[in-house]
Amino acid sequence: MKKTPYQFILVLFLIVDLSANAQEKISLDEDWKFHFGHAANPEKDFDYSKTALLHKSNVFATTVVNPKFVDTAWASVNIPHDWVVELPFVNSPQVEMDSHGYKPVGGMYPETSIGWYRKHFTVDKLKSNKRFELQFDGIYRNAEIWINGFYVGTNFSGYVGNSYDVTDYINFEGENVMVVRVDATQYEGWFYEGAGIYRHVWLNITDKVFIPNDGIFVHAEVKGKNATVNIETTVQNNNLQTSNGSVYSYITDRSGKVLAKTAEQKITLGIRKDVTVKQKLNLNNAHLWSLDDPYLYRVISVVKSGNQIVHQTKTRFGIKTVKFDANKGFFLNGKKIKIQGTNNHQDHAGIGSALPDYMQYYRVKLLKEMGSNSYRASHNAPTSELLDACDSLGMLVLDEQRLLNSSPEYIDQFKRLIKRDRNHPSVFLWSIGNEEQNIQGNDYGKKIAQTLLAIQQDLDPSRTSTYAADMANAYKGVNEVIPIRGFNYREYAVADYHRDHPNQPLLGTEMGSTVTTRGIYEKDSIRAYVPDQDITHPWWASKAETWWKLAAENDFWLGGYVWTGFDYRGEPTPYKWPNISSHFGIMDVCGFPKNIYYYYQSWWTDKDVLHISPHWNWPEKVGKPIEVWVNSNADEVELFLNGKTLGKKTMPRNSHLKWQVDYEPGILEAIGYKKGKKITSKVETTGTAYNVVLSPDKTTLTADGKDASVVNISIKDEKGLEVPTADNMVKFYLSGDAKIIGVGNGDPSSHEPDKCRDGAWQRSAFNGKCQVIIQAGKTSGSIKLEAKASGLVSASTIILSK
């Protein structure tokens, strides 16, 4: 009989229900055991290097690899886990220590550079006919993996994860024991990298005919209002005989309504072989993914054996058009957009590199509020959860390979990166590397680039690539072949390069590098602070206003990426010890805005921005001149001190205003006019610190043991004004099923611990602010956070977990 649309949808829903147990993705994040090894002393490394472990299969002697090894005395940890963030700061002249934030990890610190992990789990024997795979999303770094005494593999990369088929090694009669040895004695970057299993771990259970990880590729071609969606489904056969089956796919909107379905395509799979099925579907009136409307479709890919569904996957994808024009700029869905990007490393205050998934959304949200529309994952593969956040919130991503290298290891990393990330609509451009000074300007670089570009085009013909070159008007080498020329700094050479190579689009892959310390207004070489204004930068870099004016006013600039959106541990430019964190961020490591934030927000958004700096607490400077900055996108601004005008000024585009004001306590007010609309802002002399105020980012958590909330703390006076110089120590007390996982304050020279003992959590305020991060437990109910500071009125907040 002829099926109605309702019956068609019902049939598909029934298929989903019937196949619900066809595969499972089980989190293995909880209940690990951890212990340091030792890179130089075998006795302290559980005899790892003294015992032959590779001459026979399933050989483990009495080592830690032995499934019967007793690990009950080891520390209990959950994944994600970064062991480095818990280590003390150590003053060292070694340059790698400086760049990595003075944490004792690397070859000079053998006692804290090897980490052993053990995980016990069971598997139902009713699943003995299934295929089993361990999936590690990211381990820093050089990780060796065993299960039940069998060596499984080594993942060299600290950033690109890997998966391992362990079907033959699963024990259905008792415990399975997974062992991971992590070796962080060698660095990959020149910034804080952390160490450990800092991304998720999964046990994937499938039929032996299955869609492998990253076995789906969805990309679309837009014609007018319609789109042709190309779906490539790879199916693999791990049976011991040839298998027959069929493949089909269907697309739903985000509410689950089925929009289109392919025909079933029959396949024959050889023993331990795979095949890729290419299918097309048409969507009328396609809803395009954009920055303001990040619409996501779903494609459900289904594999059948006979009449039984053996595997299906759901892939979120977006439809968009991208155009890079060498003279006119960048276009998304036909609309001209200037790339307003930030570079970012992956650590955050209090938690290092082991971020709960929610933190990715929190950080991307902060960047969007500032006006950023693009995120460069510098200089390594990002977490999948970051890309999920960018997909959902509307943030373009420049996805970057760790090294410009075409050895088998790095080609494999590049392939895994592309196949993992190519379905994310946020990813609009690949980067094949960053600042390879020894090769970027010669034939080595050119040939390696050509190899990587060919791989990228083969695996993802829907996108193109750039390379982040710290070169001026130079063409030889990588730049000869790269489709989008990337500039790291050298902003004054961009126009000359465009003149000489007018058909190559140009992008500022790394710009700015202004150094500022939140709330500080004078250079302090003792505490290692720099003024919180757009005035200081290293020799290679520029002020924000310098590069952005060039990018904003010239169409041949696609736009650019500021170094950086957030401060990060390591690279404490322009200082060294006691400075342990960078000053490059538009926001500090907690995500608290610096003054430069309001410069970018003025010119990157249509919001009414009118921001005065510095604060107005200067008792030692009464009668002395203070330089007042106003960042705004108003047409003109008038400044008043205690009601008396200090003059009206016209706001230059992509710039700021300054006044010299003789200090007297009171109220400094700005009145701006933007297209005839009046906007106001003020700073006011505060009283002494009176109370603590808590501001949770969200007050409802999912009781899944993983969700998190960021609680920002302010020290205020009796009138409710934040005291801009407050440095009170704040102690935190938590009740309910939740835990504190980190504290921070944005002070780039603070040596206070990010992690504290249970019951002893505390952090001093830095210029009026600090931060605590809470992670949910698994029980519904109320969570109460109290914050107390000596001599101040305490505060509390309630967060619901359900």
Side-chain angles (χ1 to χ4, degrees):
M1 79 179 171
K2 182 178 179 181
K3 291 185 174 68
T4 66
Y6 171 80
Q7 289 171 312
F8 176 64
I9 294 171
L10 180 61
V11 168
L12 288 173
F13 284 164
L14 285 173
I15 288 171
V16 172
D17 289 338
L18 289 171
S19 63
N21 296 318
Q23 74 269 355
E24 298 177 79
K25 185 172 186 176
I26 301 170
S27 172
L28 295 182
D29 283 354
E30 296 182 354
D31 301 324
W32 287 74
K33 291 292 187 176
F34 173 79
H35 201 290
F36 280 118
H38 201 289
N41 187 334
E43 283 75 20
K44 294 182 179 180
D45 199 29
F46 304 100
D47 289 335
Y48 167 75
S49 60
K50 289 174 57 179
T51 305
L53 294 174
L54 302 176
H55 66 297
K56 298 283 186 180
S57 289
N58 201 222
V59 169
F60 38 73
T62 58
T63 67
V64 67
V65 176
N66 190 325
K68 295 182 180 179
F69 178 90
V70 179
D71 56 25
T72 51
W74 287 21
S76 297
V77 300
N78 288 340
I79 306 302
H81 178 244
D82 174 2
W83 79 64
V84 176
V85 73
E86 301 184 42
L87 298 176
F89 296 99
V90 175
N91 189 0
S92 168
Q94 185 189 12
V95 66
E96 287 82 8
M97 282 286 285
D98 163 73
S99 65
H100 283 75
Y102 293 102
K103 290 287 191 176
V105 66
M108 294 289 292
Y109 301 92
E111 68 279 7
T112 50
S113 295
I114 302 292
W116 285 93
Y117 292 85
R118 287 173 57 88
K119 166 72 176 176
H120 301 249
F121 63 97
T122 59
V123 177
D124 189 335
K125 66 175 62 177
L126 294 176
K127 299 175 182 178
S128 60
N129 63 334
K130 297 291 187 179
R131 169 186 171 270
F132 295 85
E133 176 185 77
L134 292 176
Q135 176 184 330
F136 293 87
D137 288 349
I139 308 172
Y140 191 88
R141 60 171 301 280
N142 198 26
E144 296 175 88
I145 301 156
W146 292 262
I147 186 167
N148 296 333
F150 288 93
Y151 170 75
V152 173
T154 299
N155 191 36
F156 179 81
S157 171
Y159 296 100
V160 182
N162 215 341
S163 299
Y164 304 91
D165 189 321
V166 293
T167 305
D168 294 343
Y169 312 136
I170 293 295
N171 177 14
F172 299 99
E173 302 299 329
E175 278 194 329
N176 293 273
V177 180
M178 178 165 38
V179 181
V180 182
R181 183 181 189 265
V182 181
D183 183 346
T185 54
Q186 183 60 263
Y187 304 108
E188 284 196 55
W190 50 96
F191 38 84
Y192 179 89
E193 300 180 276
I197 307 177
Y198 72 101
R199 297 182 184 171
H200 297 304
V201 183
W202 309 91
L203 177 65
N204 298 321
I205 305 175
T206 70
D207 191 88
K208 292 184 179 179
V209 174
F210 63 99
I211 300 171
N213 273 335
D214 314 324
I216 303 295
F217 179 30
V218 186
H219 53 105
E221 300 160 7
V222 178
K223 295 179 181 179
K225 294 183 177 181
N226 303 326
T228 300
V229 180
N230 301 280
I231 305 169
E232 301 181 21
T233 307
T234 298
V235 183
Q236 187 171 324
N237 174 31
N238 273 23
N239 282 311
L240 302 179
Q241 65 278 332
T242 299
S243 296
N244 296 316
S246 61
V247 175
Y248 67 90
S249 296
Y250 59 95
I251 295 173
T252 77
D253 64 13
R254 62 184 174 193
S255 67
K257 179 183 177 182
V258 178
L259 303 176
K261 177 182 178 295
T262 70
E264 288 193 25
Q265 185 168 332
K266 295 187 179 301
I267 55 172
T268 298
L269 293 158
I271 301 169
R272 301 194 75 83
K273 300 290 185 180
D274 61 55
V275 65
T276 299
V277 175
K278 297 183 178 182
Q279 298 173 305
K280 294 179 182 289
L281 285 173
N282 294 317
L283 286 181
N284 297 326
N285 295 314
H287 194 153
L288 301 186
W289 184 95
S290 67
L291 300 172
D292 298 323
D293 183 15
Y295 189 87
L296 296 172
Y297 290 96
R298 279 76 171 155
V299 61
I300 315 299
S301 302
V302 183
V303 179
K304 293 175 66 177
S305 179
N307 291 322
Q308 182 180 5
I309 292 176
V310 293
H311 199 179
Q312 65 178 18
T313 63
K314 179 166 69 174
T315 304
R316 300 195 313 171
F317 73 99
I319 300 171
K320 67 182 188 297
T321 66
V322 168
K323 179 182 178 182
F324 302 94
D325 189 291
N327 295 296
K328 297 180 181 178
F330 171 69
F331 294 81
L332 178 64
N333 301 329
K335 178 182 177 182
K336 185 175 179 178
I337 292 174
K338 189 73 75 170
I339 299 298
Q340 298 168 176
T342 64
N343 290 273
N344 294 286
H345 289 312
Q346 60 181 4
D347 63 297
H348 189 90
I351 49 180
S353 295
L355 274 65
D357 295 351
Y358 173 71
M359 292 302 300
Q360 308 294 348
Y361 290 82
Y362 180 77
R363 287 162 61 89
V364 172
K365 181 179 66 174
L366 294 181
L367 291 170
K368 279 190 69 80
E369 288 172 354
M370 181 187 74
S372 179
N373 59 23
S374 194
Y375 186 112
R376 178 178 173 223
S378 46
H379 306 286
N380 47 261
T383 68
S384 295
E385 292 74 28
L386 169 73
L387 299 182
D388 288 341
C390 292
D391 289 346
S392 297
L393 297 176
M395 175 75 73
L396 294 167
V397 174
L398 173 53
D399 206 341
E400 188 157 272
Q401 164 80 336
R402 174 73 282 276
L403 284 183
L404 184 70
N405 190 310
S406 57
S407 69
E409 169 62 36
Y410 286 100
I411 283 178
D412 183 52
Q413 288 186 26
F414 192 43
K415 287 180 175 179
R416 280 184 276 156
L417 173 70
I418 292 175
K419 292 174 73 175
R420 188 197 70 171
D421 294 350
R422 61 188 177 178
N423 292 321
H424 288 278
S426 57
V427 176
F428 79 119
L429 187 64
W430 301 105
S431 171
I432 63 171
N434 173 78
E435 291 187 4
E436 298 279 3
Q437 291 91 343
N438 288 348
I439 58 174
Q440 62 187 9
N442 58 37
D443 283 341
Y444 285 125
K446 177 181 177 180
K447 289 185 288 186
I448 294 169
Q450 287 174 314
T451 297
L452 296 178
L453 290 170
I455 291 169
Q456 181 257 296
Q457 278 298 302
D458 178 55
L459 293 178
D460 182 14
S462 69
R463 296 178 180 87
T464 190
S465 290
T466 188
Y467 166 78
D470 54 337
M471 305 166 72
N473 186 12
Y475 188 62
K476 182 176 175 58
V478 176
N479 292 336
E480 296 179 66
V481 296
I482 199 71
I484 311 293
R485 165 69 209 269
F487 277 85
N488 280 14
Y489 313 105
R490 318 293 189 264
E491 64 279 351
Y492 285 114
V494 176
D496 291 341
Y497 189 92
H498 175 66
R499 178 199 63 211
D500 296 340
H501 308 283
N503 297 318
Q504 190 176 25
L506 310 177
L507 176 64
T509 38
E510 210 163 293
M511 291 285 139
S513 276
T514 310
V515 286
T516 59
T517 308
R518 178 179 59 78
I520 298 294
Y521 293 95
E522 293 180 349
K523 181 179 179 180
D524 185 339
S525 59
I526 302 301
R527 293 186 295 173
Y529 299 146
V530 283
D532 191 9
Q533 301 290 17
D534 186 18
I535 57 176
T536 311
H537 60 81
W539 65 265
W540 70 82
S542 75
K543 294 186 291 185
E545 199 164 312
T546 301
W547 87 268
W548 179 246
K549 278 186 176 180
L550 293 170
E553 296 168 7
N554 291 286
D555 286 343
F556 58 80
W557 279 71
L558 300 174
Y561 294 83
V562 183
W563 190 266
T564 52
F566 299 91
D567 280 344
Y568 54 92
R569 292 165 174 78
E571 289 199 302
T573 313
Y575 304 108
K576 294 186 182 297
W577 185 270
N579 187 191
I580 48 82
S581 179
S582 83
H583 297 266
F584 294 117
I586 301 171
M587 293 174 274
D588 67 20
V589 290
C590 294
F592 297 136
K594 306 180 189 179
N595 288 321
I596 202 170
Y597 173 103
Y598 300 98
Y599 170 77
Y600 285 111
Q601 190 181 53
S602 294
W603 307 114
W604 284 8
T605 74
D606 293 325
K607 297 177 181 179
D608 294 336
V609 180
L610 183 58
H611 180 263
I612 308 168
S613 59
H615 60 74
W616 213 238
N617 282 28
W618 302 101
E620 74 283 8
K621 293 189 176 184
V622 172
K624 296 179 181 179
I626 290 180
E627 188 172 78
V628 173
W629 287 48
V630 172
N631 281 304
S632 179
N633 50 17
D635 301 316
E636 59 182 13
V637 177
E638 186 171 8
L639 193 66
F640 298 83
L641 178 58
N642 294 326
K644 180 181 177 180
T645 183
L646 302 175
K648 182 184 292 186
K649 297 185 180 184
T650 299
M651 175 64 71
R653 299 297 89 182
N654 301 304
S655 188
H656 69 283
L657 295 174
K658 288 193 290 190
W659 281 262
Q660 289 290 331
V661 180
D662 291 338
Y663 178 76
E664 63 180 60
I667 298 174
L668 188 66
E669 183 177 24
I671 298 177
Y673 294 91
K674 181 181 177 184
K675 298 178 181 179
K677 179 183 178 182
K678 180 180 177 181
I679 52 179
T680 64
S681 180
K682 66 181 180 180
V683 292
E684 186 173 346
T685 307
T686 75
T688 58
Y690 172 74
N691 67 333
V692 182
V693 176
L694 300 180
S695 301
D697 176 63
K698 61 179 183 179
T699 55
T700 302
L701 295 176
T702 301
D704 59 359
K706 298 177 182 292
D707 198 9
S709 180
V710 177
V711 183
N712 292 325
I713 293 92
S714 297
I715 306 298
K716 297 193 175 183
D717 69 5
E718 284 193 271
K719 294 190 294 183
L721 299 174
E722 184 172 283
V723 181
T725 56
D727 60 359
N728 307 71
M729 178 62 73
V730 184
K731 297 179 182 293
F732 302 103
Y733 304 90
L734 190 67
S735 59
D737 188 15
K739 60 184 178 181
I740 297 173
I741 59 172
V743 288
N745 63 8
D747 181 352
S749 296
S750 174
H751 296 178
E752 295 177 29
D754 293 298
K755 306 280 189 178
C756 305
R757 291 184 297 104
D758 286 343
W761 285 95
Q762 63 179 27
R763 191 70 177 213
S764 62
F766 177 62
N767 293 329
K769 298 178 184 293
C770 59
Q771 184 177 85
V772 59
I773 301 172
I774 293 172
Q775 190 164 44
K778 293 186 175 182
T779 305
S780 297
S782 293
I783 300 163
K784 183 179 182 180
L785 175 68
E786 293 182 272
K788 299 180 179 181
S790 179
L792 303 186
V793 177
S794 61
S796 65
T797 189
I798 299 294
I799 296 173
L800 298 178
S801 181
K802 56 184 181 180

